[in-house]
């Protein structure tokens, strides 16, 4: 499930209560949650005795403190309409945070990471002792980093500016920011980082700029999220771009000298195509490439839930 609202702080077995709570989140994700619900309801009709588990992209981030998840707008929009930062990609951030602890011999419960999930959608996360403390996405997955086709952060007044200057509707502005912006919008070429890297090598000016903006914004986001950490045990790159683009990793780390980060070019070049490892220069904070595996995390949550005792009657979900 994309959105679990504030109801779901972890994965859960689907029963009537959970289904009702999931239905209540539809206004928060009107495009995605109805599709997810359709799958659940169809499977329920076809296999009524088969247990189903819901894993939420938002759940991991429910541990964010209020000063990280509230917008600076009047409280009633939060209380009455659920307007707050939720964050997404939680399954991926959680998985790579745990893997980083395993790979480095640190305890998940005593480790501090900045994670960068860079796929078609992109987000960063600050993880302290196994819990999300802040993340770059917000009420929707549009906030934060520049992405394949999403703009990420823009001045919130851009909406009224475009409406005033061009007479555009909300639907048109929505489409511009979600589907025609980001790497695609800046480059005028593609939302695929591979194509942009090839075009950059041929001297394509806009593809070059798209990569520069992408990397600078990523670095800015990581630096901002460092505010949520008491110390830094490492920065983790994951997702299609994070796992496969030495160029993006090198360019973003180059902006983060003030955090003491420095890259080892040989190790950076080696970590592609599913190869994990450390890519920091010796004596500098850890930089790790860790392939994400959301499917495995979902399977692990499912196994844990199938083995767990009956749910607390007051909770729509069982702990995973
Ligand atoms: P994902 O959503 O995690 O599958 O990631 C998709 C993104 O990963 C796309 O922008 C791809 O261009 C990017 N990607 C995949 N392989 C590579 C690669 N070898 N070099 C650069 N980007 C890549």
């Amino acid at each position: 499930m994309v959105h679990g609202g504030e109801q779901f702080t972890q994965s859960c077995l689907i029963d009537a209560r959970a289904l009702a709570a999931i239905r209540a989140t539809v206004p928060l994700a009107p495009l995605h949650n109805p599709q997810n619900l359709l799958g659940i309801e169809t499977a329920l009709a076809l296999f009524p005795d088969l247990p189903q588990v819901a894993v939420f992209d938002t759940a991991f981030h429910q541990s964010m403190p209020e000063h990280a998840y509230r917008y600076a707008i009047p409280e009633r929009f939060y209380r009455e309409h659920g307007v707050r930062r939720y964050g997404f990609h939680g399954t991926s951030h959680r998985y790579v945070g745990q893997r980083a602890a395993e790979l480095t011999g640190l305890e998940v419960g005593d480790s501090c990471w900045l994670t960068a999930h860079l796929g078609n959608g992109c987000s960063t996360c600050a993880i302290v002792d196994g819990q999300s403390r802040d993340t770059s996405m917000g009420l929707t997955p549009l906030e934060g980093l520049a992405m394949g086709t999403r703009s990420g952060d823009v001045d919130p007044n851009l909406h009224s500016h475009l409406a005033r200057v061009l007479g555009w509707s909300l639907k048109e502005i929505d489409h511009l920011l979600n589907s025609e912006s980001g790497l695609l919008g800046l480059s005028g070429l593609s939302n695929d980082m591979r194509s942009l890297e090839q075009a950059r090598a041929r001297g394509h000016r806009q593809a070059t700029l798209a990569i520069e903006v992408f990397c600078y914004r990523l670095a800015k986001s990581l630096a901002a999220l460092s505010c949520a950490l008491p110390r830094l045990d490492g920065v983790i790159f994951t997702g299609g771009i994070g796992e496969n683009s030495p160029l993006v990793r090198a360019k973003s780390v180059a902006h983060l000298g003030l955090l003491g980060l420095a890259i080892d070019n040989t190790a950076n070049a080696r970590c592609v195509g599913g190869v994990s490892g450390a890519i920091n220069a010796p004596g500098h904070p850890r930089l790790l490439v860790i392939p994400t595996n959301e499917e495995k995390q979902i399977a692990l949550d499912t196994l844990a839930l199938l083995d767990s005792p009956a749910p607390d009657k007051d909770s729509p979900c069982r702990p995973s």
Side-chain angles (χ1 to χ4, degrees), residues 47-68:
F47 310 104
D49 297 328
L50 199 65
Q52 288 197 61
V53 167
V55 179
F56 301 89
D57 241 12
T58 50
F60 181 56
H61 302 299
Q62 280 297 305
S63 49
M64 285 194 286
E66 191 165 11
H67 64 255

Side-chain angles (χ1 to χ4, degrees), residues 16-143:
R17 284 173 62 85
L19 211 49
I22 292 171
R23 283 199 193 97
T25 63
V26 165
L28 292 170
L31 294 181
H32 292 99
N33 275 21
Q35 310 293 334
N36 297 163
L37 268 169
L38 190 62
I40 293 170
E41 284 163 347
T42 306
L44 211 55
L46 290 171
F47 310 104
D49 297 328
L50 199 65
Q52 288 197 61
V53 167
V55 179
F56 301 89
D57 241 12
T58 50
F60 181 56
H61 302 299
Q62 280 297 305
S63 49
M64 285 194 286
E66 191 165 11
H67 64 255
Y69 72 69
R70 287 288 299 279
Y71 290 113
I73 61 174
E75 170 141 359
R76 71 175 186 278
F77 294 95
Y78 169 54
R79 297 270 170 236
E80 294 167 24
H81 302 287
V83 176
R84 52 158 283 181
R85 308 182 63 250
Y86 291 94
F88 299 87
H89 292 146
T91 312
S92 176
H93 290 297
R94 177 160 59 109
Y95 177 78
V96 296
Q98 288 168 1
R99 280 291 292 149
E102 279 168 25
L103 290 170
T104 55
L106 297 173
E107 291 293 325
V108 177
D110 183 18
S111 60
C112 301
W113 309 101
L114 290 173
T115 55
H117 176 102
L118 310 174
N120 241 320
C122 302
S123 67
T124 51
C125 182
I127 303 177
V128 177
D129 302 344
Q131 295 194 329
S132 170
R133 290 289 165 84
D134 201 356
T135 188
S136 60
M137 285 178 166
L139 174 70
T140 76
L142 185 58
E143 186 176 331

Side-chain angles (χ1 to χ4, degrees), residues 117-121 148 183 191-195 197 238-246 272-273 292:
H117 176 102
L118 310 174
N120 241 320
L183 294 174
N191 64 332
D192 191 310
M193 187 57 86
R194 278 165 295 201
S195 310
E197 289 190 11
T238 194
I241 300 173
E243 294 166 26
N244 292 297
S245 177
V272 292
T292 194

